[in-house]
Amino acid sequence: MNPTELLRVAVLVSGGGTNLQAMLDRGRAGKLKAEIVAVVSDNPEAFGLTRARQAGVPCHTVRYGVVETGGPTTDPLPGDLDWAAFLRRRRTPTSGDSVKVPEQIVRLRRMVRAEREIIRKLAPYRPDYVCLAGYMRLLSPYFLDHFNRDGGYRVVNIHPALLPAFPGQHGYRDTFDHGCKWGGVTVHYVDEGEDSGPVIAQAVYPIWPEDDPDAVRRRGLALEYEVYSQVLNWLAAGQVAINRPAGARPRVVITDPAYRRIVTRWLDLAMTG
Ligand code: GAR
């Protein structure tokens, strides 16, 4: 895309949506090189939807349970999906071994049915990127293949821990419970695993002896807002390069000449926050 254009970003939320709010606020202040073109939630009660409505951003709900069990969207899935290959791609060291393959495929088919709804709802907005902001579901290879075109990653997530430490749903709590002296936040591309895609940006914050889990979460969230918006600005400016060494994991390099200054600012913010 033209580096001067705004990125078209769709945001997926499951809950409060404070990351979404931070993007909307920065957008309004002219500090975000991205336009939030649509918001989708798997949870009709998500406050993130209210935030989107208040900002005049189109929003949609896809209720996985309803889509999975019937209703108006039970038309057949594409017949040429290779479910066995999808399962192999999704397999992580902790996933699914206790569940029989046919049952895993049933689950995957349900997931794909809901994801197809999301894809359909997002299509008119033509998003350049799909950003997960507190979206508490894994995405299947079907969804990722749809957006990750031309060999590039198009789905981005924010995670409340310094990956690869503490993947999963409780990044702040796990960081605190382990007695970590530093916590972190990570923005990464999404692949088939759980919080396992290439890291784009990370920031760290201290955990002081007197801190409780709420203090840790508060300090981390303040950083999340900074880092996520900065990553969108880097993506818009074409400053996120991916090195693909043969036989090794893809590795992201930020090419912004101001990179060190920005990371130092995040550190200052964390030390004083
Ligand atoms: C954020 O802390 C985000 O990093 C986390 O959920 C929170 C959502 O807050 N995401 C995950 O844990 C994903 N595994 P928000 O709805 O207020 O932006």
Side-chain angles (χ1 to χ4, degrees):
M1 74 173 282
N2 181 334
T4 58
E5 280 175 27
L6 291 183
L7 278 187
R8 299 178 62 79
V9 170
V11 180
L12 269 50
V13 299
S14 295
T18 61
N19 272 285
L20 167 66
Q21 188 67 57
M23 290 175 195
L24 292 167
D25 292 346
R26 282 163 176 74
R28 203 173 300 121
K31 292 180 178 166
L32 192 69
K33 295 180 191 148
E35 180 190 358
I36 312 301
V37 293
V39 171
V40 173
S41 182
D42 58 335
N43 167 18
E45 308 297 323
F47 192 65
L49 289 172
T50 305
R51 295 179 190 276
R53 268 184 227 112
Q54 284 169 350
V57 176
C59 48
H60 303 273
T61 303
V62 171
R63 298 177 65 177
Y64 277 56
V66 174
V67 177
E68 285 165 7
T69 51
T73 56
T74 49
D75 53 323
L77 289 164
D80 56 354
L81 295 180
D82 185 345
W83 298 102
F86 278 6
L87 273 190
R88 281 195 298 277
R89 284 168 60 185
R90 278 182 57 76
R91 191 164 289 266
T92 61
T94 55
S95 80
D97 287 334
S98 57
V99 182
K100 293 194 172 58
V101 166
E103 288 165 39
Q104 290 183 45
I105 291 181
V106 168
R107 283 187 194 171
L108 200 52
R109 289 180 69 92
R110 289 184 182 149
M111 195 172 174
V112 165
R113 216 180 272 289
E115 290 175 348
R116 185 175 55 175
E117 278 303 294
I118 300 177
I119 290 170
R120 282 179 177 166
K121 293 211 189 288
L122 289 184
Y125 305 103
R126 295 176 292 104
D128 298 309
Y129 284 89
V130 176
C131 287
L132 314 184
Y135 193 63
M136 296 308 194
R137 288 183 186 269
L138 294 178
L139 295 166
S140 80
Y142 171 79
F143 187 92
L144 296 173
D145 286 354
H146 178 84
F147 286 104
N148 290 346
R149 26 178 209 273
D150 309 327
Y153 294 95
R154 296 284 165 173
V155 185
V156 180
N157 181 41
I158 184 139
H159 184 74
L162 203 61
L163 291 172
F166 311 128
Q169 300 220 346
H170 305 289
Y172 289 130
R173 199 182 69 195
D174 294 344
T175 301
F176 182 83
D177 287 352
H178 269 73
C180 294
K181 306 302 179 259
W182 292 84
V185 303
T186 304
V187 175
H188 63 97
Y189 286 123
V190 177
D191 67 8
E192 293 87 2
E194 185 177 30
D195 301 318
S196 59
V199 170
I200 305 173
Q202 291 182 308
V204 294
Y205 57 88
I207 299 174
W208 305 119
E210 64 274 20
D211 280 341
D212 60 14
D214 282 345
V216 167
R217 187 164 180 275
R218 220 172 24 250
R219 205 167 294 131
L221 274 170
L223 277 180
E224 289 190 34
Y225 308 149
E226 294 293 321
V227 177
Y228 216 169
S229 291
Q230 180 61 62
V231 165
L232 291 181
N233 286 347
W234 280 330
L235 287 168
Q239 291 174 321
V240 181
I242 306 181
N243 289 346
R244 298 174 188 273
R249 294 171 58 87
R251 208 164 61 84
V252 171
V253 177
I254 304 299
T255 59
D256 182 358
Y259 179 70
R260 278 173 187 253
R261 185 172 53 71
I262 290 166
V263 171
T264 306
R265 189 167 54 73
W266 291 342
L267 257 184
D268 289 345
L269 182 79
M271 296 309 286
T272 54

